[in-house]
Amino acid sequence: MKKTWRKIIIISLVLVVLEVVGIMVFLHPYYKIQTVFNGIDNGNWIETQESYDELNDKQKQKVQSYLNDYAAYITGEYLQGEIEYQLVAAMFDAINCIDETASISKNYMSSINHNEYKLAIKRLYTANAAYDTEAAYDAQMDISSLNLRMDNATRESIMVELLNEQYYAFINEEVSATTVHSYADIIAAIAYYDAYAYVPVVKSNVDYVVKYRELYATASNYMNEQKYFEVMDICKQVHVDSLDTNYATKYAELYSDAYDTGKTYYGDLLDSYAASKDKANTALLIEVIQMYYGDDFDVSSAEETMLEPWESAYVTFLENYEVSLQTDLNNSETGQYILMNEYENLRPNAMFLYDIDKNGIAELFLFNDAHAEDEYTGCFVYGYQNNTPTYIGFVNVKNFCSDSYIVAFPEGFDRETGDECSLVVYDGTSFSVESYCQYIGEVYYVDGKEVDDVAYLSAQSAILAHVNEIKVKNSGYVSITDGKKYIMEY
């Protein structure tokens, strides 16, 4: 029986030995691979290289397939504070000595340095904000240390990236303008190249965004005060940063609201002005409405309500005045002479209204503003007769008068002229010369008769006794293109 147990024990021992040997034979390749990673963990590139060189090709391929994931693991451990930077650097040196891609170490070290640099700047910002000088000093020391790990271009690009991150956070209303400015000031103090140059750009952009956001608040207040034109002005003038989609939408909605609400509001206000015959305010409001709404706002009803029939007739006449004028000139010898010889010089581009006969319906004077300062200004005159603008005649105006007269240069282009003037009367339909005096070639004339100087001066004084202070140059004339507004305000 004892011999049997000995055999059993010996056989069992043999089987255990065989099993251990088998396991060792099976695990040995994996052990050799593990020694490579042990070398990496120790930060010993020589140990890593030697262990790697002992592997066969298949085992080396296995190691290569693990390296990137292992580098990611090392990076994660470092970022969690489990490994010091010096060991990390040594571990990546070990990886680099066997990395067939020759890029893993560089990529992950760059990532580490990149994150560390941004974190150090953020720590400095936090310390400055809390007036923690000790923490600020530590952060500055970290930044100085990190500067030694990277070239200038890398550092500058990280700082630019950080500025952009802060700017985007500001655009998304996650941080304040003050925060972005503080980061910009920190970077301005440690940067030299691209990032340094980028600082004023970011600051300027932030200030611009702050300004148009403040303007939005102003525009919103105007909206509550029913100042819809002012709201639209702000909305049209502001150029929102393309990244600021929130405020771009706000401005678009505010403009649309002001446009639609204002259309109703100003329509009611215009009708009120027109109904009360408040010509000045009606004309001004129509002008502004057309600036903002153009053809989308029909002002014709207000114009019709506000204008007298003769005013409306003049407005319509001015729309095609030159064709009518040339047609009227062709109907008289004097007019034909003007068309053939004087029209280009006298071609009207300006106008004013003056009620010659003081009947409450003004006459329309057309002239060339190049002659507005002349002693005598040639004017084509229209009156409102039989419900339509009617050509009265051509007058060289010197002065208007307190009564239904005009002191003018005598009519006629093809005669000898001198020191002369005439008193022209308007009877409601046409002009006629009541009196005129001339001094030509040392000879005095009154109404075509030769007289002495005493009679001449007496006649001249009688003519000039009618005048008031109004001449063409101070008549308040405007460009014919502005005639409609002028008539509406008359």
Side-chain angles (χ1 to χ4, degrees):
M1 177 63 85
K2 289 183 178 180
K3 290 181 179 180
T4 301
W5 278 107
R6 285 195 191 100
K7 289 180 182 178
I8 291 172
I9 291 171
I10 292 169
I11 291 170
S12 297
L13 288 173
V14 170
L15 290 173
V16 169
V17 170
L18 289 173
E19 184 175 354
V20 170
V21 170
I23 291 171
M24 291 181 65
V25 169
F26 176 75
L27 293 178
H28 182 64
Y30 295 97
Y31 170 77
K32 294 180 70 177
I33 290 174
Q34 183 60 42
T35 60
V36 174
F37 288 94
N38 289 341
I40 294 173
D41 287 343
N42 295 329
N44 189 324
W45 70 269
I46 296 176
E47 178 186 341
T48 302
Q49 182 71 65
E50 289 176 347
S51 298
Y52 184 76
D53 289 342
E54 293 178 2
L55 302 179
N56 59 39
D57 290 343
K58 188 174 181 179
Q59 291 169 332
K60 288 180 179 179
Q61 288 177 4
K62 271 289 190 197
V63 170
Q64 292 295 325
S65 68
Y66 296 150
L67 283 182
N68 192 72
D69 290 339
Y70 202 67
Y73 164 76
I74 294 170
T75 302
E77 290 290 289
Y78 171 71
L79 294 177
Q80 293 176 21
E82 300 295 330
I83 312 175
E84 294 293 330
Y85 180 80
Q86 289 78 2
L87 177 56
V88 170
M91 293 170 78
F92 277 111
D93 280 343
I95 289 175
N96 194 50
C97 76
I98 62 172
D99 177 20
E100 293 181 357
T101 68
S103 62
I104 292 175
S105 176
K106 179 181 178 181
N107 291 343
Y108 279 95
M109 283 302 295
S110 295
S111 175
I112 287 172
N113 291 334
H114 181 279
N115 290 328
E116 282 290 288
Y117 204 62
K118 286 204 293 188
L119 288 171
I121 295 173
K122 289 179 179 180
R123 287 198 302 276
L124 179 55
Y125 162 77
T126 302
N128 287 344
Y131 300 100
D132 187 339
T133 55
E134 183 177 349
Y137 176 79
D138 291 342
Q140 288 171 334
M141 291 299 99
D142 288 344
I143 291 171
S144 297
S145 176
L146 287 161
N147 284 338
L148 301 176
R149 303 182 193 173
M150 298 172 284
D151 57 32
N152 289 332
T154 301
R155 290 196 303 271
E156 297 288 320
S157 67
I158 294 171
M159 287 186 279
V160 167
E161 180 182 312
L162 181 57
L163 282 174
N164 282 332
E165 287 177 359
Q166 293 302 314
Y167 179 71
Y168 297 151
F170 166 69
I171 287 292
N172 293 326
E173 301 181 78
E174 297 168 0
V175 300
S176 68
T178 303
T179 297
V180 185
H181 273 279
S182 297
Y183 272 104
D185 290 338
I186 290 171
I187 288 172
I190 61 177
Y192 296 97
Y193 306 105
D194 293 348
Y196 183 83
Y198 193 46
V199 164
V201 175
V202 171
K203 282 188 168 185
S204 176
N205 288 348
V206 167
D207 292 342
Y208 179 74
V209 173
V210 167
K211 184 175 180 180
Y212 72 63
R213 287 180 176 177
E214 290 173 348
L215 277 175
Y216 179 81
T218 300
S220 297
N221 289 334
Y222 284 156
M223 191 74 187
N224 295 331
E225 296 168 6
Q226 296 182 311
K227 296 179 179 179
Y228 304 112
F229 290 141
E230 288 85 345
V231 175
M232 287 188 276
D233 277 339
I234 292 175
C235 292
K236 287 191 292 187
Q237 291 168 7
V238 166
H239 297 284
V240 178
D241 190 314
S242 59
L243 297 171
D244 198 354
T245 54
N246 183 29
Y247 268 84
T249 301
K250 283 185 174 183
Y251 267 109
E253 291 174 348
L254 185 62
Y255 179 84
S256 178
D257 191 14
Y259 186 93
D260 294 337
T261 308
K263 194 173 182 181
T264 300
Y265 173 81
Y266 292 121
D268 292 342
L269 184 60
L270 182 62
D271 289 342
S272 173
Y273 285 153
S276 63
K277 300 295 183 181
D278 186 345
K279 298 181 71 174
N281 279 322
T282 302
L284 179 59
L285 185 55
I286 285 176
E287 182 181 16
V288 179
I289 284 173
Q290 290 178 331
M291 286 172 53
Y292 287 88
Y293 291 97
D295 295 336
D296 195 29
F297 199 119
D298 184 5
V299 298
S300 59
S301 175
E303 291 175 343
E304 291 170 5
T305 302
M306 180 191 67
L307 292 176
E308 299 295 337
W310 64 270
E311 293 173 319
S312 295
Y314 283 155
V315 168
T316 302
F317 170 80
L318 289 175
E319 292 173 359
N320 202 21
Y321 72 93
E322 197 158 22
V323 171
S324 297
L325 175 59
Q326 292 181 16
T327 299
D328 291 330
L329 290 176
N330 254 323
N331 292 329
S332 69
E333 288 186 12
T334 300
Q336 290 171 5
Y337 180 89
I338 291 174
L339 282 174
M340 293 178 62
N341 301 283
E342 302 290 340
Y343 190 73
E344 287 306 312
N345 180 46
L346 298 171
R347 189 173 206 150
N349 63 0
M351 60 143 293
F352 63 94
L353 295 175
Y354 187 84
D355 187 1
I356 307 171
D357 56 358
K358 313 299 187 290
N359 68 345
I361 299 177
E363 282 64 50
L364 173 64
F365 288 74
L366 307 176
F367 69 101
N368 190 303
D369 63 6
H371 302 294
E373 298 290 330
D374 294 352
E375 184 179 3
Y376 294 92
T377 303
C379 297
F380 303 98
V381 187
Y382 279 81
Y384 184 67
Q385 301 172 14
N386 300 317
N387 301 321
T388 187
T390 303
Y391 182 65
I392 302 171
F394 177 82
V395 181
N396 282 296
V397 177
K398 176 179 174 66
N399 273 89
F400 290 97
C401 302
S402 302
D403 41 28
S404 299
Y405 292 96
I406 299 172
V407 174
F409 193 83
E411 189 179 69
F413 292 90
D414 55 349
R415 61 180 178 77
E416 185 180 4
T417 61
D419 181 12
E420 51 189 326
C421 65
S422 63
L423 189 63
V424 177
V425 64
Y426 177 59
D427 62 7
T429 57
S430 62
F431 289 128
S432 61
V433 177
E434 185 170 296
S435 175
Y436 71 92
C437 58
Q438 301 168 299
Y439 176 57
I440 301 174
E442 305 297 325
V443 180
Y444 299 100
Y445 297 92
V446 174
D447 296 333
K449 297 179 181 180
E450 187 175 337
V451 298
D452 60 19
D453 60 340
V454 175
Y456 171 82
L457 292 173
S458 177
Q460 186 183 59
S461 296
I463 291 173
L464 296 177
H466 291 268
V467 303
N468 58 26
E469 73 282 359
I470 300 176
K471 296 175 177 285
V472 170
K473 67 181 179 181
N474 64 357
S475 63
Y477 70 87
V478 297
S479 166
I480 291 177
T481 57
D482 294 327
K484 182 177 180 179
K485 179 175 181 291
Y486 172 89
I487 292 171
M488 292 177 65
E489 295 176 344
Y490 180 73

